[in-house]
Amino acid sequence: MSKSLQAIRGMNDILPEQTPAWRYLERTVAELLDGYGYSEIRLPILEFTELFARGIGEGTDVVDKEMYTFLDRNEESLTLRPEGTAGCVRAVLEHGLSGGGQVQKLWYTGPMFRYEKPQKGRYRQFHQIGVEAFNLAGPDVDAELIVLTWRLWQRLGLADSVTLQLNSLGSSEARAAYRDALVAYLQERFAQLDEDSQRRLTTNPLRILDSKNAQTQALLVGAPTLADYLDEESRLHFEGVKARLDAVGIRYEINHKLVRGLDYYNRSVFEWVTDKLGAQGTVCAGGRYDGLVTQLGGKPTPGVGFAMGVERLILLLEALQLLPEELNAPADLYLCAFGEAAELAGLALAERLRDAIPGLRLLVNSGGGSFKSQFKKADKSGARFALILGEDELAARVVGCKPLRDDAQQQNIGWDALPAHLAACLQA
């Protein structure tokens, strides 16, 4: 017998009972970003592999171990996007959106792909909402991105469940000097490092700061800190970010080990973390990447952005029971029609009611059936009222209206009076 078909490990179906939460989060984010003047851009899922090798950086875990890369029929190397920033920068360059110093504030959403060990909150196909701003070099836009995420947590009810961590990576020169000092420190303790950190020492040593290995973290207690190598311009920029957050009243922690996993970051970096999801504690992260546009072939263009994990945010909303009850609200009405003439009239009636009552949730019985079977479907639907249309009702130009959630009696309502009657009942 052939093997039954199933989804690829770590690539999950989002089922009908789950999609209301997704739509709620996506709608809330879209409305917030509209209010801050950010415009949506829709990007391809596939890009040329070179984009990520140049943008994210050779030697990073993402490029070396996690990308889904293959040759197409033209023998060109393509990759399923592992993150959104590189593709957004490519689109901005390709379409001249940042030319002449144009300010662009953009956002996007969709699936990303990384070959990782699947676990709760970490999947091989995962979804992100990303925000990017170009041609703004000052600390004001860095702060704005953090403020709007803080505003989102307030709207979602998460403000008391997430913590903001900040750091500055400084200029590329300052970062290089710090890298040399860190490597020298760790080389002397090479044998005590875990296997991953030993490998990273020659490929991406700053990622060792983020190691989850307890022994490695103990070694780092006496290591040089990035703050000691900050250039003056980066220090002033970071002070400007903090001053703006202080002015709004946003609390934060300075985390000198926060370096982010992608090579293109410089200066301000930040993460919003939670202790409500176990090991997968980061729900939103980002920072400044002033050199990325140049790295990908464009003219010098300041850039800053962030991405948030949709799955993790929904897990957090579910864990804290913060999803609105009305997301899974049942239908308002269920229309039962008996006989072909009643079914035809019922179809027209249903559309009249949808025109008259905005937002109405009305189910029309499909597949016919006896009075008993249709009423059983109406009750199972969770609707508040059943509308009954048969030969007698058609002849009298009335519709039976039967409450399904209490013991109130059925009423026969004239066709012309029905919309107003139902609107009043549904508001009660």
Side-chain angles (χ1 to χ4, degrees), residues 398-417:
V398 298
V399 177
C401 184
K402 169 65 177 171
L404 295 173
R405 305 300 147 206
D406 57 43
D407 296 328
Q409 295 298 307
Q410 177 178 324
Q411 294 179 269
N412 289 333
I413 311 297
W415 282 54
D416 293 337

Side-chain angles (χ1 to χ4, degrees), residues 193-263:
L193 293 172
D194 62 277
E195 186 177 338
D196 260 356
S197 295
Q198 289 178 347
R199 176 180 57 81
R200 286 172 171 166
L201 192 59
T202 56
T203 59
N204 198 353
L206 267 61
R207 292 295 293 144
I208 297 174
L209 298 175
D210 196 34
S211 171
K212 301 298 186 289
N213 184 281
Q215 183 175 334
T216 296
Q217 281 298 326
L219 285 178
L220 290 169
V221 170
T225 63
L226 189 52
D228 295 333
Y229 290 80
L230 275 190
D231 55 290
E232 183 64 11
E233 193 174 347
S234 295
R235 188 189 67 78
L236 290 174
H237 185 99
F238 195 44
E239 291 300 321
V241 174
K242 292 189 291 181
R244 285 161 174 80
L245 299 182
D246 291 338
V248 180
I250 297 178
R251 290 175 294 178
Y252 54 84
E253 299 173 355
I254 304 299
N255 179 359
H256 292 302
K257 294 179 180 178
L258 177 60
V259 294
R260 306 295 298 120
L262 308 178
D263 273 0

Side-chain angles (χ1 to χ4, degrees), residues 16 68 148 168 187 237 258 414:
Y68 282 89
L148 72 84
S168 176
Q187 284 283 17
H237 185 99
L258 177 60

Side-chain angles (χ1 to χ4, degrees), residues 335 345-357 360 362 364:
L335 177 65
L347 182 60
L349 173 65
E351 297 312 309
R352 278 188 59 204
L353 293 175
R354 291 187 174 107
D355 287 338
I357 307 174
L360 179 68
L362 167 59
V364 177

Side-chain angles (χ1 to χ4, degrees), residues 44-62:
I45 290 174
L46 275 174
E47 299 275 4
F48 288 113
T49 304
E50 181 188 9
L51 171 68
F52 302 113
R54 288 172 59 185
I56 297 173
E58 304 262 12
T60 59
D61 285 352
V62 172

Side-chain angles (χ1 to χ4, degrees), residues 215-416:
Q215 183 175 334
T216 296
Q217 281 298 326
L219 285 178
L220 290 169
V221 170
T225 63
L226 189 52
D228 295 333
Y229 290 80
L230 275 190
D231 55 290
E232 183 64 11
E233 193 174 347
S234 295
R235 188 189 67 78
L236 290 174
H237 185 99
F238 195 44
E239 291 300 321
V241 174
K242 292 189 291 181
R244 285 161 174 80
L245 299 182
D246 291 338
V248 180
I250 297 178
R251 290 175 294 178
Y252 54 84
E253 299 173 355
I254 304 299
N255 179 359
H256 292 302
K257 294 179 180 178
L258 177 60
V259 294
R260 306 295 298 120
L262 308 178
D263 273 0
Y264 51 63
Y265 285 109
N266 71 304
R267 292 198 179 171
S268 310
V269 290
F270 67 91
E271 289 188 2
W272 287 97
V273 299
T274 182
D275 60 3
K276 312 296 184 185
L277 292 177
Q280 307 306 324
T282 301
V283 294
C284 175
R288 183 163 281 280
Y289 47 86
D290 291 339
L292 181 58
V293 176
T294 307
Q295 200 171 312
L296 293 179
K299 295 179 179 179
T301 303
V304 60
F306 68 79
M308 60 182 72
V310 176
E311 283 90 347
R312 289 190 193 176
L313 283 173
I314 289 174
L315 283 174
L316 185 56
L317 291 169
E318 290 173 341
L320 299 175
Q321 299 183 330
L322 291 173
L323 291 169
E325 291 183 10
E326 62 268 20
L327 290 183
N328 293 306
D332 299 311
L333 309 172
Y334 192 101
L335 177 65
C336 303
F338 306 97
E340 186 173 358
E343 288 180 6
L344 293 173
L347 182 60
L349 173 65
E351 297 312 309
R352 278 188 59 204
L353 293 175
R354 291 187 174 107
D355 287 338
I357 307 174
L360 179 68
R361 291 166 295 189
L362 167 59
L363 299 181
V364 177
N365 184 75
S366 298
S370 66
F371 184 89
K372 182 178 180 180
S373 69
Q374 291 198 38
F375 247 77
K376 189 174 181 180
K377 290 180 186 177
D379 187 56
K380 189 176 180 180
S381 75
R384 293 177 59 188
F385 298 91
L387 301 181
I388 302 156
L389 195 57
E391 292 181 3
D392 293 342
E393 287 80 16
L394 274 180
R397 287 192 57 80
V398 298
V399 177
C401 184
K402 169 65 177 171
L404 295 173
R405 305 300 147 206
D406 57 43
D407 296 328
Q409 295 298 307
Q410 177 178 324
Q411 294 179 269
N412 289 333
I413 311 297
W415 282 54
D416 293 337

